Amino acid sequence: MDEKQRISELRQQLHEHNYKYYVLNAPTISDQAFDFMMHELQDLEAKYPKMDDPNSPTKRVGSDLNSEFKQVAHKYPMLSLANTYNEQDVEEWFEQVARGLMGEEFEVCCELKYDGLSISLTYVDGQLVQGVTRGDGIHGDDVTENVKTIRAIPLVLSGNDYPHEFEMRGEILMPWKVFEQLNAEREANEEPLFANPRNAASGTLKSLNSRLVASRHLDSYLYYMLGEQLPTDGHYENMMKAKHWGFKISAGMRKVKSLQQIYDFIKHWDTERKNLPIATDGIVLKVNSLRQQRALGYTAKSPRWAIAYKFKAERACTKLVEVTYQVGRTGAVTPVANMEPVKLAGTTVKRATLNNADFIKSFDLHVGDYVYVEKGGEIIPKIVGVALDKRPADAKPISFITHCPECGTPLARYEGEAAYYCPNDTACPPQIKGRIEHFIARKAMNIDSIGPETVDDYYRRGLIHNAADLYNITVQDINGAGNREKSALKIVRGIASSKQVPFERVVFALGIRFVGETSARLIARHFKNIDALMEASLQDLTEVEGVGEVIAKSVIAYFSNPINKEIVARLRNYGLQMALSEEQQAGSSDKLTGKSIVISGVFTHHSRDEYKALIEQNGGKNVGSISGKTSFVLAGDNMGPSKLEKAERLGVPIISEDDFLKMIE
Ligand code: IVH
């Protein structure tokens, strides 16, 4: 056999072994043998570049050369499903379907509802040609290169009875195990944790580096086929076909005819899902016949032929052992419940926030109580109730602390606020450290050569007391005892390079209470430099679109404090950006002041994010949905039909890309 033939043979065999390993979970060769074949193929492909194939198994390793994502219009909009939460809602849906079909018999396909992010995959002649995220349902991001690294997704289909062109939709998921491991690594590296596997999968899939995506071991289940010529009239039957072509289809799919069978399915999976390696949050019920699906049709938002039944959040009961208190960068004191570890929805939990004193009071919580915990969308679980019947005789009511656990200052409570505060903002350690951590954060000065533990270390060694001190640190200071010259140099360089961070992020980094990323940007763009901002009156500040009285007062209070004035003066001396760049000043105007603008469609000259920035730079506001208050829609190609209809109905003008650019010229 010549080497070119060998390339084809290896590709075919590797696709097959990949399928056995990642879809069937039943490998027939060792990992080592697989790697060996892969290396052979890589070598041969390097030798014969003309035989390149975008769907070769070697493309699964990703590359770090991805360009930014292209926005593409979905051929069929990606709708969502109506949610139900109880049997009665399911019954109503079932009866509505029966009425809609005028008494005709029908079957329902029951399947799991995967809790990841949806993806649309297009196949032409058995080859994966495109993978697109849901986006706004009308347009999504083209993430084909990233999708190719997901081994459960076939690049080339098996068999020969697939349609010439069709779309498969499904869910991309990060398995629990991978998620826990990833978060453990992030914790060790002092990086922010992902709240849940869905966010982690979404963050991963939208990474611009497909090699990173490949390293994250995402999984995928497919559950919906679309196209002009599908193999059969049955959804279930089509999924079985898809399974033969190499797709990973939900294992638990079942066709049923009665409500009772639906309830049995729900009941079974409500407990059984806890043994699955990935997150599910409900059941999806679909009328099986495609003909009947068409007859039932769609409402504005979702199909009438399908519905989602959401599981109740998982709940566990465990003992509250101790309450500890955390002091944040603003001085707010948050009580934390420390509990006996308990398994809940895929992870072990032992801590939950108790929010504030009112929350504790509302449950009349005692130390020693058995509490019910639930996990919502966040990784930090919530206490949702107390098992009063289990309260031990020696349980003690919780009395909220009266003094700061960190610096001993008596706590204060401000009017209208639920939290207690430590008012000692200039000398209370977690407040000082918290402000420095905020200053170096990615969205602020982005000094990623240091993390919270380093801040803690330097603070303890007396090297830093505020953000300005960072710029004073030398390699000698850091080195201390150990011989860590290289990393010390990296840290000092990292700090120095933050001097280029634009003014608006410097304003955010200062950590002025209530001034978030957006308000910092608005304020910076309005006042243009720090002197104008420091001199601004309450009235000047409230004139900024999007800045209310609370923010304005807080800005005034910040700059009237001599300690802060000194920090700002020092930062200026160190060379931080204290004004908008010339470029920003030149590009900014107030041509769009007071205008609310909706962006819709696919653009040619700039990306959506760039248009968003242009709107803001010119004083306008980018809003998500069209209403009577919308000034105009900035429309590219393929604007969504529902948006178009709404704009026309409300008489909102539609402006093309070119006209918009002229407008702000
Ligand atoms: S069918 C037209 N089946 O749930 C309906 N969706 O709210 C097409 N999902 O965006 C979707 N598991 O991301 C379908 N077995 C399943 C599903 C499922 C999860 C997600 C999907 C969709 C959302 C609907």
Side-chain angles (χ1 to χ4, degrees), residues 318 339-343 348-350:
T318 185
M339 304 168 295
E340 276 175 5
V342 62
K343 263 284 207 208
T348 303
V349 306
K350 45 183 190 277

Side-chain angles (χ1 to χ4, degrees), residues 138-165:
I138 308 291
H139 312 94
D141 286 330
D142 180 338
V143 289
T144 312
E145 292 314 308
N146 286 348
V147 159
K148 281 186 187 169
T149 69
I150 302 172
R151 314 272 171 147
I153 293 178
L155 302 180
V156 176
L157 303 183
S158 311
N160 52 15
D161 57 343
Y162 40 75
H164 159 62
E165 177 169 352

Side-chain angles (χ1 to χ4, degrees), residues 79-81 111-114 118 171 223-224 284 286 303:
L79 301 175
S80 53
L81 296 169
E111 47 198 77
L112 282 163
K113 185 169 189 308
Y114 294 101
S118 35
E171 209 80 352
Y223 46 63
Y224 189 30
V284 178
K286 297 174 182 165

Side-chain angles (χ1 to χ4, degrees), residues 489-509:
L489 210 66
K490 197 175 137 211
I491 290 172
V492 173
R493 284 205 187 121
I495 295 172
S497 65
S498 74
K499 292 177 187 172
Q500 304 311 322
V501 165
F503 176 52
E504 52 196 57
R505 287 192 11 220
V506 176
V507 173
F508 174 58

Side-chain angles (χ1 to χ4, degrees), residues 318-321 340 364-371 386-397:
T318 185
K319 191 173 178 173
L320 172 59
V321 183
E340 276 175 5
D364 180 29
L365 266 186
H366 286 42
V367 170
D369 266 341
Y370 283 83
V371 291
V386 185
L388 286 176
D389 52 331
K390 288 194 192 163
R391 175 170 288 168
D394 60 351
K396 286 190 194 64

